């Protein structure tokens, strides 16, 4: 184990209150850590760097369980690396969250009876900045509550001046490299937010709709098509069929009448059409469907937009001015009146895209937008993982990553908003288009104007690993802390954020990826494994649990459920259990201090230690090695579980209890054990600190007198192992466990004392007789001792005198009654399972339940018979 280098002096035990009250210590401790600069990172340091960026929460956001989970994992990693001697940077900051933030401020304006257009663009943006200053970023304070060890002096915002310069710089470079272009294409349009949104910002859900089959053309030139969006037929410019479909070969190339309009449209042959699906004919609306747009491009079809930005019909005729849903019903009614409806299916459940921000149904729309040509960027992002430059953990998530980056479509980066990074392109009076870099003068003069759109929020957050370090300037921080050591993030934003950071990092930083490892975690779910949702009523505010149980309890619960790439269930009773663990650590440390545990001076020589001392030190070093291995593999659940069982079971329930007789006896052996106990607690508290920082800080500083466990040395495995001591104590544990089980089976109270004879002569357990007797409440045998029960365990014999303690006749009668009941249960279960007629009719879960009853009956019979055999004969 690493020696404590701060040369502490043992603190008086009076410094530790009888109870741990998180609310009284957490806030004060955190502010002390920040004031002392423990979380800051020095670019001039000679220490090796360890860098992690915070996935920037939205400026509109507040701490939810997903944040608490992710932040706990990152904080554990960075606290450990800091203790290991790394110059550790956990980079904080927030995202300007274009659509979400604009919506918040627009709602505020609506309360005043105003819209953003009443203010104008400049005043509206100023209003958003004002809102950010007054109400935005409340999550920063909540991160402090959780204990996030971030470098607050380096906090960044994606609309900061420096980050804005980075955005303009990379836009200009991509534009000059012909990787950014402007084109008219089908995009996902939100009629509520009035902006384009990317494919990954569309949430799909099954909605009840209608499937309408309608007849185009007349006579021999009739063709039937089906749609869930009848209103778009006003913009149809063709019907498509498969070239090999014999049913329609006579129509291919001909014009047919488009109902409700004065237009005729062609029938085109296109291999995109599936002849086996529906009628084998599809209506083609190039301005309102991405697949239809591609068909239109292949066949040089016109694209007729029939809806405006609010999804209101603009096509001339009786439907003009109707909302899309109103128009849908009206058009179906009109077609029905003309006898053109062949079939109607309601409800027709189908997958429908919704805006992830406001949940409005998305409308595919032909629109002029800015795009990133992702082909070469995505290839580089895929190759970086294939070539081993970047590792994805767990490895099985690589397939999901490749499926995404290998099939990326060009990225629509323009948004029809006012809040965000405005596209740095100016248009001139004679059709000029000029992209302006950060150090260039924008063109001015009559007729020149800037593009009104802003960039997708993910464009700026994609620069996060290097823009936060001062890029495009070659700063000391960039040289020191790029690339990041690891990115810890949810698998759910692998596509949103991770792929974009990979593309931009490799492009901007000369082929150097933004991080060495991508460690993916799952989503937090409720204790039944159900997704947390307001509609389900199972959303939990983590601040409530922190108020009730303390931040450490929440953190430990989340870490203990964190298996790589797997969703994490969590329930309040689990948090309560973690609070009990914090209390156990507190009480055990308080006991140790009251009994003189110390960290003063070196450990005594092993030859002076008892086997109990050597056992716990051997186990301690094994746990240090085990925890280190789990950290390197991002196995937070396993490392937390290992620490829980070592601290609670081995240190508190076994070592402390086995050592009590030594402490009571005093002398040199007691002094040795006090030093060993101090060492074990010192190391255990340091191992626990990254996950439960507050309680360990209080206990460690009290135990050691050190300045702070935050800057204490991380323990290392000294290599000390004692297999003989481990086997010896395992035998002691076996004896105590077996006798305790027997006592419980006989109905003895835990504190009830029983005369006993221990045959330990020649056994290594002889040295532990006093501890065994104390833990088992076994008093000396005495002159009138009669062995009424004898337990051979692990090579030794424990004889107990239960006369006067148990009424054997009554106990036999009770056990016989229980045995008869168990045998009756077994007979009934066997009868049912042997009945072929029953097995043929009964559901599987009923049969499984009866099999479970049979297994339980067998267990009960074996247990009761063993108890009867151990009872003396009357």
């Amino acid at each position: 184990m690493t020696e404590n280098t701060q040369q502490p002096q043992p603190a008086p035990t009076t410094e530790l209150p009888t109870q741990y009250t998180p609310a009284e210590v957490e806030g004060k401790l955190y502010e002390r850590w920040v004031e002392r600069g423990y979380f800051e990172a020095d670019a001039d340091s000679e220490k090796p760097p360890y860098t992690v960026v915070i996935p920037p929460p939205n400026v509109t956001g507040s701490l939810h369980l997903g944040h608490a989970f992710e932040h706990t994992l990152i904080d554990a990693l960075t606290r450990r690396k800091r203790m290991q001697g790394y110059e550790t940077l956990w980079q904080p900051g927030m995202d300007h969250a274009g659509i979400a933030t604009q919506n918040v401020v627009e709602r505020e304006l609506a309360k005043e009876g105003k819209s953003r257009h009443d203010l104008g663009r400049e005043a509206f943006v100023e209003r958003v900045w004002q809102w950010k200053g007054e109400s935005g970023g409340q999550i920063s304070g909540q991160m402090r509550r959780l204990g996030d060890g971030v470098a607050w002096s380096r906090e960044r915002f994606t609309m900061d001046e420096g980050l804005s310069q980075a955005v303009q710089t990379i836009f200009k470079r991509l534009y000059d490299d012909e990787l950014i272009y402007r084109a008219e294409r089908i995009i996902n349009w939100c009629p509520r937010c009035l902006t384009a949104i990317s494919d990954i910002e569309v949430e799909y859900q099954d909605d009840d709709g209608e499937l309408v089959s309608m007849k185009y053309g007349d006579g021999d030139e009739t063709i039937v098509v089906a749609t869930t969006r009848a209103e778009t037929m006003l913009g149809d410019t063709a019907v498509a069929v498969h070239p090999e479909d014999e049913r329609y070969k006579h129509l291919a190339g001909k014009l047919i009448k488009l109902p409700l309009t004065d237009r005729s449209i062609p029938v085109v042959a296109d291999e995109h059409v599936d002849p086996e699906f529906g009628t084998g004919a599809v209506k083609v609306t190039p301005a309102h469907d991405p697949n239809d747009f591609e068909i239109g491009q292949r066949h040089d079809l016109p694209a007729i937009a029939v809806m405006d930005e609010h999804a209101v019909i603009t096509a001339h005729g009786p439907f003009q001015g109707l909302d899309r849903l109103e128009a849908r019903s009206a058009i179906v009614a009109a077609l029905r009146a003309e006898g053109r409806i062949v079939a109607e299916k309601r409800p027709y459940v189908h997958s429908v895209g919704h805006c992830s921000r406001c949940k409005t149904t998305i409308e595919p729309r032909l629109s002029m937008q800015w795009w990133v040509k992702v082909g070469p960027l995505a290839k580089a992002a895929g190759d970086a993982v294939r070539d081993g430059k970047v590792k994805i953990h767990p490895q099985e998530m690589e397939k999901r990553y490749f499926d995404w980056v290998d099939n990326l479509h060009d990225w629509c980066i323009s948004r029809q908003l006012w809040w965000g990074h405005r596209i740095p392109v100016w248009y001139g009076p004679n059709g000029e288009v000029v992209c302006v870099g950060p150090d260039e003068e924008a063109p001015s003069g009559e007729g020149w104007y800037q593009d009104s759109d802003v960039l997708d929020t993910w464009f700026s957050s994609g620069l996060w690993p290097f823009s936060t370090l001062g890029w495009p300037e070659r700063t000391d921080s960039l040289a020191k802390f790029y690339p990041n050591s690891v990115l810890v993030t949810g698998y759910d934003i692998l596509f949103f954020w991770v792929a974009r950071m990979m593309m931009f990092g490799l492009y901007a930083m000369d082929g150097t990826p933004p991080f060495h490892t991508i460690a993916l975690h799952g989503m937090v779910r409720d204790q039944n494994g159900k997704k947390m949702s307001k509609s389900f009523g199972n959303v939990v505010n983590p601040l409530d649990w922190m108020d009730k149980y303390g931040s450490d309890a929440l953190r430990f619960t989340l870490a203990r459920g964190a298996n790589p790439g797997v969703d994490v269930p969590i329930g309040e009773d689990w948090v309560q259990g973690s609070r009990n663990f914090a209390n156990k650590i507190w009480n055990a440390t308080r006991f140790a201090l009251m009994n003189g545990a110390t960290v003063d001076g070196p450990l005594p020589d092993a030859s002076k230690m008892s086997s109990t001392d050597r056992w716990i030190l051997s186990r301690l070093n094994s746990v240090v090695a085990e925890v280190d291995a789990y950290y390197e593999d991002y196995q937070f659940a396993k490392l937390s579980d290992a620490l829980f069982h070592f601290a609670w079971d081995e240190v508190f329930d076994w070592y402390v209890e086995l050592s009590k007789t030594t402490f009571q006896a005093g002398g040199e052996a007691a002094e040795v054990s006090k030093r060993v106990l101090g060492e074990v607690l010192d190391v255990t508290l340091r191992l626990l600190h990254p996950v439960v920082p507050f309680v360990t800080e209080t206990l460690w500083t009290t135990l050691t007198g050190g300045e702070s466990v935050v800057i204490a040395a991380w323990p290392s495995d000294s290599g000390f192992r004692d297999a003989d001591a481990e086997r010896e104590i395992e035998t002691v544990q076996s004896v105590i466990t077996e006798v305790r089980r027997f006592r419980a089976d006989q109905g003895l109270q835990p504190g009830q004392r029983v005369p006993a004879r221990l045959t330990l002569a020649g056994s290594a357990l002889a040295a532990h007789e006093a501890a065994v007797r104390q833990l088992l409440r076994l008093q000396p045998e005495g002159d009138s001792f009669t062995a009424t029960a004898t337990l051979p365990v692990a090579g030794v014999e424990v004889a107990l005198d239960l006369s006067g303690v148990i009424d054997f006749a009554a106990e036999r009668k009770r056990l016989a009654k229980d045995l008869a009941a168990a045998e009756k249960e077994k007979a009934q279960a066997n009868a049912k399972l042997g009945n072929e007629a029953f097995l043929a009719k009964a559901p599987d879960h009923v049969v499984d339940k009866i099999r479970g009853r049979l297994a339980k009956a067998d267990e009960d019979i074996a247990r009761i018979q063993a108890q009867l055999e151990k009872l003396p004969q009357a």
Side-chain angles (χ1 to χ4, degrees), residues 467-490:
S467 63
T468 52
L469 298 172
W471 187 91
E473 300 298 324
R474 294 288 172 173
T475 63
D476 292 341
S477 289
L478 189 66
K480 178 74 173 179
F481 296 113
Y482 186 91
N484 287 195
S485 306
V486 62
L487 174 74
V488 180
T489 192

Side-chain angles (χ1 to χ4, degrees), residues 730-735 738 763 765 791-797:
E730 284 171 9
T731 304
V732 173
Q733 291 171 329
S734 297
V735 171
E738 185 60 31
S763 166
L765 270 65
L791 304 175
V793 186
V796 302
E797 191 174 271

Side-chain angles (χ1 to χ4, degrees), residues 186 235-238 284-290 292-293 295-296 301-304 366:
I186 292 285
D236 285 0
T237 56
V284 181
T285 322
H288 292 280
D289 184 275
D292 293 2
F293 177 79
I295 294 175
L301 299 173
I304 302 173
L366 186 62

Side-chain angles (χ1 to χ4, degrees), residues 10-80:
T13 60
T14 53
E15 289 186 13
L16 205 56
T18 56
Q19 279 189 317
Y20 177 52
T21 310
E24 293 180 3
V25 300
E26 290 180 349
K28 295 175 185 175
L29 284 183
Y30 189 84
E31 290 310 312
R32 186 187 307 160
W33 292 335
V34 173
E35 288 168 6
R36 293 180 178 178
Y38 293 155
F39 305 139
E40 296 304 322
D42 182 3
D44 296 326
S45 168
E46 294 183 0
K47 296 178 183 177
Y50 187 82
T51 315
V52 185
V53 293
I54 194 170
N58 288 353
V59 67
T60 58
S62 59
L63 190 75
H64 56 63
L65 270 178
H67 290 129
F69 174 54
E70 186 167 82
H71 291 198
T72 293
L73 305 187
I74 300 174
D75 198 41
L77 290 174
T78 52
R79 284 180 182 268
R80 172 175 175 261

Side-chain angles (χ1 to χ4, degrees), residues 769-790:
E769 181 169 353
V772 170
R773 284 187 176 277
Q774 181 166 312
L775 289 173
L776 291 173
R777 304 296 189 267
L778 302 179
Q779 61 192 40
E781 53 196 271
D783 295 336
S784 60
F785 179 83
T786 302
T788 59
T790 302

Side-chain angles (χ1 to χ4, degrees), residues 712-743:
W714 179 253
S716 60
D717 176 7
S718 70
F720 177 80
R721 300 289 191 280
D722 193 322
D724 291 339
E726 290 196 34
R727 281 193 294 270
E728 183 176 318
I729 300 305
E730 284 171 9
T731 304
V732 173
Q733 291 171 329
S734 297
V735 171
I736 292 172
T737 300
E738 185 60 31
V739 176
R740 279 177 172 166
R741 184 181 297 116
F742 176 78
R743 286 178 57 112

